[in-house]
């Protein structure tokens, strides 16, 4: 009798079902004309918040990411000789590995810290002093920390750019870029200018904007595209969902927001269903949204796509992995290419991959 393990070992490796979107970046290339200017503005800049981005910068980042994703055989190595300091003071699967993969694919070298106790933090060294040392050893820092304040504590002493890879419950801007890049590949025409009212997308977010850094950053980026996003529906069973001023800021930017407590009644209206259940708190995490689940029986609109920043728990059934609704694996894959585009911009190497005026 052949065991399951033996069967899996004998099976030829194939692209896995549920990797929707892999073939899509070319449509995005056709929808966005190349313009290096917005990316040149990112040269030698820190990337801390989604607030630093606008529609033009995002569209060009998506375009360059699509170029990297669709033409790996034409890959340049614009970061040869550059060193990334990858400092992850909190667990990560996707963000650390996709940043490091992005940097390696661009020809750079990586130094990685995965345990703060292996650094001077164990001796009480300040983040400002550590940042002063980082200036000497690398060209860019990518920082993940459980503390909202950590990335800000380094800014004053840094002379090299830092990219926020998640700071407490505050922000995770490059995750939000990966989320929107996925939507842009699914519907590239959303980037072409004002979208007729009836063709705008309705995005459902099962999550808590004030507690989840991924949701906070995603809402800020969605607010850059109010002429493409008809409505954002927050699905949450928490009594409070927004920080003071958070909802007002988004609505003033043009985003139409609605909050509902039940998922199934609203699901048939949603084109994009984004789900997350984890909020980082200190050295641990809390699960929010008990009772809000997506399964194969959920009344999803035909053609709707599901996004999830991952890691997932019970909120997203694995039985959805083999359906066309699964765009969350494409979202995790695309994160490599959007991070390649961002890193190329931040280290002043856009001229190596695009036609530019003198930098
Ligand atoms: N999406 C995300 O931040 O995943 P990791 O925690 O694995 O980096």
């Amino acid at each position: 009798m052949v065991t399951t393990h033996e069967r899996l070992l004998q099976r030829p490796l194939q692209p896995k079902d549920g990797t929707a979107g892999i073939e899509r970046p070319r449509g995005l290339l056709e929808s966005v004309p190349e313009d290096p200017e917005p990316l040149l503005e990112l040269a030698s800049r820190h990337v801390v918040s989604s607030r630093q981005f606008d529609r033009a910068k995002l569209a060009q980042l998506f375009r360059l990411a699509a170029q990297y994703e669709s033409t790996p055989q034409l890959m340049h190595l614009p970061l040869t000789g550059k060193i990334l300091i990858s400092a992850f003071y909190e667990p990560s699967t996707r963000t650390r590995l996709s940043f490091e993969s992005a940097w390696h694919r661009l020809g750079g070298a990586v130094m990685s810290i995965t345990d703060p106790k292996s650094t001077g933090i164990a001796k009480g060294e300040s983040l400002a002093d550590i940042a002063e040392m980082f200036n000497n050893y690398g060209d860019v820092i990518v920082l993940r920390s459980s503390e909202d304040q950590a990335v800000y504590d380094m800014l004053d002493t840094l002379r090299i750019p830092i990219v926020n890879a998640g700071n407490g419950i505050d922000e995770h801007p490059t995750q939000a870029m990966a989320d929107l890049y996925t939507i842009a590949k699914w519907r590239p025409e959303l980037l072409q200018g004002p979208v007729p009212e009836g063709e705008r997308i309705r995005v459902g977010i099962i999550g808590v904007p004030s507690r989840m850094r991924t949701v906070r950053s995603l809402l800020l980026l969605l607010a850059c595209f109010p002429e493409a996003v008809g409505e954002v529906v927050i699905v949450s069973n928490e009594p409070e969902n927004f920080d003071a001023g958070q909802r007002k800021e988004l609505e003033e930017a043009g985003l139409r927001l609605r909050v509902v407590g039940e998922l199934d009644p609203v699901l048939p209206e949603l084109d994009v269903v984004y789900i997350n259940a984890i909020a980082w708190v200190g050295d641990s995490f809390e699960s929010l949204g008990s009772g809000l689940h997506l399964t194969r029986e959920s009344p999803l609109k035909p053609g709707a796509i599901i996004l999830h920043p991952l890691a997932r728990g019970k909120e997203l059934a694995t039985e959805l992995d083999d359906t066309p609704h699964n765009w969350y694996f494409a979202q995790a894959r695309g994160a490599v290419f959007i991070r390649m585009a961002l890193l190329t911009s931040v280290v002043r190497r856009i001229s190596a991959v695009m036609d530019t005026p003198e930098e």
Side-chain angles (χ1 to χ4, degrees), residues 171-328:
E171 282 222 46
H172 196 348
T174 64
Q175 175 63 49
M177 287 174 204
D179 304 341
L180 243 64
Y181 176 53
T182 314
I183 296 174
K185 282 189 289 182
W186 167 65
R187 291 273 305 272
E189 72 278 11
L190 295 172
L191 296 176
Q192 280 176 339
V195 178
E197 190 84 33
E199 292 166 32
R200 295 179 187 182
I201 55 168
R202 181 170 282 126
V203 180
I205 295 183
I206 304 156
V208 184
S210 62
R211 305 288 296 157
M212 295 174 179
R213 60 193 178 202
T214 54
V215 173
R216 188 191 304 278
S217 288
L218 174 59
L219 284 167
L220 287 164
L221 291 196
L222 286 170
C224 297
F225 297 91
E227 72 299 329
V229 179
E231 187 183 34
V232 175
V233 183
I234 305 291
V235 186
S236 165
N237 48 26
E238 294 295 309
E240 295 294 332
N241 289 290
F242 292 97
D243 284 333
Q246 188 181 16
R247 181 169 185 164
K248 185 163 178 273
E249 178 185 4
L250 296 165
E251 288 179 331
E252 282 179 358
L255 212 56
R256 278 200 274 173
L257 287 166
R258 177 161 50 118
V259 180
V260 301
E262 285 187 68
L263 178 58
D264 281 4
V266 81
L267 266 184
E269 301 170 28
L270 302 176
D271 302 294
V272 176
V273 184
Y274 176 101
I275 185 165
N276 186 20
I278 288 178
W280 270 94
V281 184
D283 291 336
S284 188
F285 65 88
E286 59 184 9
S287 289
L288 302 171
S290 64
L292 301 173
H293 299 119
L294 289 175
T295 70
R296 216 154 171 139
E297 280 68 52
S298 297
L300 287 154
K301 183 175 176 177
I305 63 168
I306 299 173
L307 302 181
H308 192 311
L310 305 173
R312 73 170 143 194
K314 292 195 176 79
E315 71 281 0
L316 177 60
T318 54
E319 64 199 17
L320 281 160
D321 293 357
D322 291 333
T323 72
H325 299 298
N326 173 5
W327 279 61
Y328 36 92

Side-chain angles (χ1 to χ4, degrees), residues 90 95 143-147 163-168 171-173 213:
E90 181 195 278
T95 313
L143 180 73
R144 157 77 60 95
S145 172
S146 305
E147 306 295 330
V163 180
N164 179 7
N167 62 325
E171 282 222 46
H172 196 348
R213 60 193 178 202

Side-chain angles (χ1 to χ4, degrees), residues 39-40 42-44 61 64 68 76-79 102-103 106 140 337-354 359:
L39 300 187
L40 293 173
L42 293 172
S44 302
L61 282 171
L64 181 54
Y68 279 136
H76 306 266
L77 296 175
L79 303 193
W103 195 268
L106 293 166
V140 175
F337 304 104
I338 194 72
R339 287 177 171 132
M340 287 172 73
L342 182 69
L343 291 167
T344 307
S345 309
V346 166
V347 295
R348 311 177 73 95
R349 285 292 187 270
I350 283 299
S351 59
V353 293
M354 292 166 93
E359 275 189 79

Side-chain angles (χ1 to χ4, degrees), residues 19 34 48 63 88 94 169 177 218-220 241 333:
T19 46
E34 182 175 293
V48 173
R63 190 182 198 289
F88 276 71
R94 280 147 294 277
I169 61 166
M177 287 174 204
L218 174 59
L219 284 167
L220 287 164
N241 289 290
R333 178 179 186 276

Side-chain angles (χ1 to χ4, degrees), residues 48-69:
V48 173
S49 167
S50 285
R51 284 191 184 84
Q52 295 170 252
F53 292 84
D54 58 21
R55 183 195 160 88
K57 283 192 181 64
L58 291 167
Q60 290 304 319
L61 282 171
F62 299 157
R63 190 182 198 289
L64 181 54
Q67 212 170 327
Y68 279 136
E69 185 166 3

